[in-house]
Amino acid sequence: TRTALLMPTYNEDPERLMAGLQAILESLDETGQGAWFDVFVLSDTRDPGIHARELNAFAQLRQRTGAVNLHYRRRDDNTERKAGNISDWVRGWGGAYPQFLILDADSLMTGDTLVRLADAMTRNDDVALVQTLPVIVNGASMFARMQQFAGRMYGPVIAHGVAWWHGAESNYWGHNAIIRTAAFAAHGGLPALGGTVPFRGHVLSHDFVEAALLRRGGWALHMIPSLEGSYEEGPPSLTDMLVRDRRWCQGNLQHGGVLATRGLHWVSRWHLLIGIGHYLTAPLWAMLILIGLGIPLQHGIPGQDGFSVAGYWMALDEDRFLGVFLLTMAMLFAPKVMGYVATLCDARMRRGCGGALRSLVSVLIENVLAALMAPVTMYVQSRGVAEVLAGRDSGWDAQQRDDGRQTLGDLWRGYRGTTVLGLVMGVAAWSMSPGLALWMSPVILGLIGSIPIVMLTSSRAIGGWMRRHGLFSTPEELAPPNLLQRAAELRARAADDARAALPPATDAPLKPGAI
């Protein structure tokens, strides 16, 4: 069955994008089924210079591959952003293709996986969407390597559990998924939301809503966590993740206007509620901390050496205090413990993650870093929720793919709020009681240390050192599949060609006013 591969792009690096597409096409050709797949590069790029590079890179891709099933289209009006880009293709070209698969600019999928997905859609005529579990790869910075290790170690356990309770009401993450065109055309159209800014207008986080609408139309949606060969890349730094997260915050809170839609399956409503709750958790956690401190302080004696928040709550009901604490720790760490145990039981995964000892050290480091970053994420997400409720739009910027390094000035501008808040909290807690400061130390240290934490975790040098010592390793890193090796080779060649095309540097003095 003819299948379209859609690559939406918005101000991305064209040479890097086309190199990834070439690797996918070559992998498809190796299956002998490449003729059944047509590729569409769907550009929403607004930058004239990048658009010109896109045209040139696309022409070179056609020349290198000799493929005739490659197509390029740039919209004059990028209404509805990515969702509008896909909808425009469905209306204009979808009638020729029973199914289509959406890629992201950083997506890589093996030809075998693409053929399996197309075959699954053909054989199951009640299914509208099959979602894979993309594996994060190509992390260079410490943060990116931490993210890809965590995804590889804990992700499969979580994904199998999620797939079990979702059943035929799976969610959709917007890429690396195959969709039945007729079902999407009939039921996947997004509504224009009413209400106040920024909730009204076009749906930003479109994938959750599209999945809910497809299920409302009577179609099945499935996630297949065991299907390998689906890859994506993660953000190189905490800053880049939080920038992306701000847009998701607005999009998920916007789903409040979709919850009351008639006919939605109850599992689809849960997907929307979980997305909303993900961002409300941050301000709720902050309020819980304040209440948990405020009540003991109200009844305690500030400045008294023996003052202890934990002591106050334990004195009220020691069994309940310990029970809540243990339940909370179990909910936080059970998926990680299960992921580690599952890794030990799989020889390939165990070797790929550096062995039992190194993978355990990696788990411990990841948990410490995650605990230190959690207060920063809480602060930024709480601020994001407040900004959304105040009517501030998140905008739409191209994502940082490779280098997450920032200057000290950028770090100060980005994290001075968290640093100052941490200092104020630390001084206030210590002035009341050293015990209170100790109780609050995980939050205080994370906030005060936000600048050095982000700077260190954004480092490619530290990431390289950890790779050489087998920390945060993954099977795809130690034994890269052919697709990843080929994509890396093509991207490196494209980067070299781009550097060679730059005008030669000169040591001649600049004329006045040249800067």
Side-chain angles (χ1 to χ4, degrees):
T1 306
R2 298 206 67 77
T3 303
L5 303 183
L6 309 186
M7 175 68 81
T9 178
Y10 173 75
N11 288 346
E12 297 282 351
D13 181 339
E15 292 79 17
R16 191 177 192 279
L17 184 143
M18 301 301 172
L21 267 181
Q22 180 175 344
I24 293 173
L25 287 171
E26 291 177 356
S27 181
L28 262 176
D29 286 340
E30 290 172 2
T31 68
Q33 305 294 328
W36 291 100
F37 293 82
D38 289 1
V39 177
F40 290 80
V41 177
L42 306 178
S43 175
D44 262 350
T45 294
R46 311 273 39 100
D47 185 297
I50 297 179
H51 176 223
R53 287 169 55 200
E54 278 180 359
L55 292 172
N56 182 59
F58 180 78
Q60 291 184 4
L61 175 63
R62 263 190 166 174
Q63 184 178 5
R64 288 195 303 268
T65 60
V68 296
N69 56 345
L70 281 170
H71 311 278
Y72 176 92
R73 186 273 284 132
R74 177 175 178 266
R75 286 200 299 168
D76 294 328
D77 178 13
N78 60 350
T79 303
E80 296 186 73
R81 307 181 182 186
K82 180 180 176 180
N85 199 354
I86 300 299
S87 297
D88 180 79
W89 179 87
V90 170
R91 288 190 296 266
W93 292 271
Y97 300 91
Q99 57 216 24
F100 62 93
L101 186 141
I102 299 179
L103 300 164
D104 249 3
D106 59 359
S107 294
L108 290 169
M109 298 184 73
T110 64
D112 178 71
T113 298
L114 292 171
V115 170
R116 288 174 182 271
L117 287 171
D119 183 61
M121 188 64 72
T122 303
R123 291 174 181 270
N124 297 276
D125 56 10
D126 63 335
V127 174
L129 185 146
V130 181
Q131 168 79 58
T132 67
L133 177 66
V135 173
I136 303 176
V137 294
N138 296 334
S141 68
M142 183 182 181
F143 179 83
R145 288 178 53 75
M146 168 185 154
Q147 292 289 99
Q148 73 179 23
F149 171 80
R152 200 65 177 96
M153 175 73 70
Y154 321 135
V157 165
I158 296 172
H160 277 83
V162 165
W164 175 81
W165 84 264
H166 284 185
E169 289 78 41
S170 177
N171 208 349
Y172 169 40
W173 301 327
H175 59 90
N176 293 35
I178 193 165
I179 301 173
R180 189 177 301 277
T181 312
F184 190 84
H187 304 286
L190 297 175
L193 301 179
T196 59
V197 175
F199 297 104
R200 71 178 180 217
H202 302 300
V203 176
L204 295 180
S205 293
H206 55 91
D207 36 17
F208 281 35
V209 180
E210 289 164 345
L213 295 176
L214 287 171
R215 185 63 189 90
R216 185 180 69 166
W219 293 90
L221 298 86
H222 290 277
M223 185 178 74
I224 312 299
S226 58
L227 182 61
E228 297 189 352
S230 178
Y231 309 101
E232 64 175 340
E233 296 176 349
S237 71
L238 178 63
T239 300
D240 294 297
M241 187 194 77
L242 292 174
V243 169
R244 181 185 303 185
D245 195 70
R246 172 61 178 81
R247 186 171 64 250
W248 290 344
C249 174
Q250 181 175 336
N252 279 268
L253 293 182
Q254 199 183 42
H255 291 164
V258 182
L259 276 173
T261 302
R262 293 179 181 177
L264 295 185
H265 194 281
W266 70 268
V267 175
S268 299
R269 295 190 200 276
W270 267 113
H271 291 320
L272 298 173
L273 280 169
I274 289 171
I276 295 169
H278 175 77
Y279 291 95
L280 295 182
T281 299
L284 286 173
W285 180 29
M287 287 188 282
L288 183 64
I289 291 174
L290 293 175
I291 293 170
L293 291 173
I295 293 175
L297 288 173
Q298 183 182 6
H299 294 88
I301 304 175
Q304 183 178 345
D305 291 339
F307 176 75
S308 168
V309 172
Y312 173 83
W313 290 110
M314 289 182 70
L316 287 181
D317 191 332
E318 182 176 356
D319 291 339
R320 185 178 295 177
F321 176 86
L322 291 175
V324 170
F325 177 78
L326 292 174
L327 177 62
T328 304
M329 292 300 102
M331 292 175 68
L332 284 173
F333 293 108
K336 299 188 177 188
V337 173
M338 292 177 186
Y340 178 68
V341 171
T343 298
L344 293 183
C345 296
D346 185 324
R348 172 176 167 267
M349 275 290 295
R350 185 175 64 249
R351 289 192 299 269
C353 291
L357 180 59
R358 282 194 177 92
S359 60
L360 177 60
V361 173
S362 297
V363 167
L364 296 175
I365 295 173
E366 188 273 333
N367 276 278
V368 171
L369 290 175
L372 290 172
M373 292 178 186
V376 180
T377 304
M378 174 190 69
Y379 173 88
V380 175
Q381 286 187 340
S382 298
R383 186 180 65 190
V385 170
E387 289 174 349
V388 170
L389 295 177
R392 182 177 173 185
D393 187 77
S394 63
W396 188 25
D397 297 319
Q399 298 178 22
Q400 179 71 261
R401 301 291 182 189
D402 294 314
D403 196 346
R405 289 174 294 182
Q406 303 156 80
T407 65
L408 283 174
D410 291 335
L411 288 169
W412 172 247
R413 284 187 291 272
Y415 297 96
R416 60 190 173 193
T418 54
T419 303
V420 172
L421 177 61
L423 289 171
V424 170
M425 289 177 63
V427 171
W430 185 266
S431 65
M432 293 177 188
S433 164
L436 176 60
L438 181 63
W439 177 259
M440 292 290 296
S441 59
V443 175
I444 292 171
L445 291 175
L447 293 172
I448 292 177
S450 55
I451 290 177
I453 289 170
V454 174
M455 182 169 63
L456 290 173
T457 56
S458 302
S459 169
R460 295 167 67 96
I462 296 177
W465 181 89
M466 297 187 83
R467 178 172 183 169
R468 290 191 296 275
H469 288 80
L471 299 175
F472 289 159
S473 296
T474 63
E476 291 73 25
E477 182 179 74
L478 295 185
N482 293 335
L483 172 72
L484 299 184
Q485 294 186 57
R486 181 57 174 160
E489 174 189 333
L490 292 170
R491 286 170 172 173
R493 187 183 305 168
D496 291 340
D497 291 344
R499 282 191 292 269
L502 292 174
T506 176
D507 295 328
L510 292 171
K511 296 180 181 179
I515 296 178

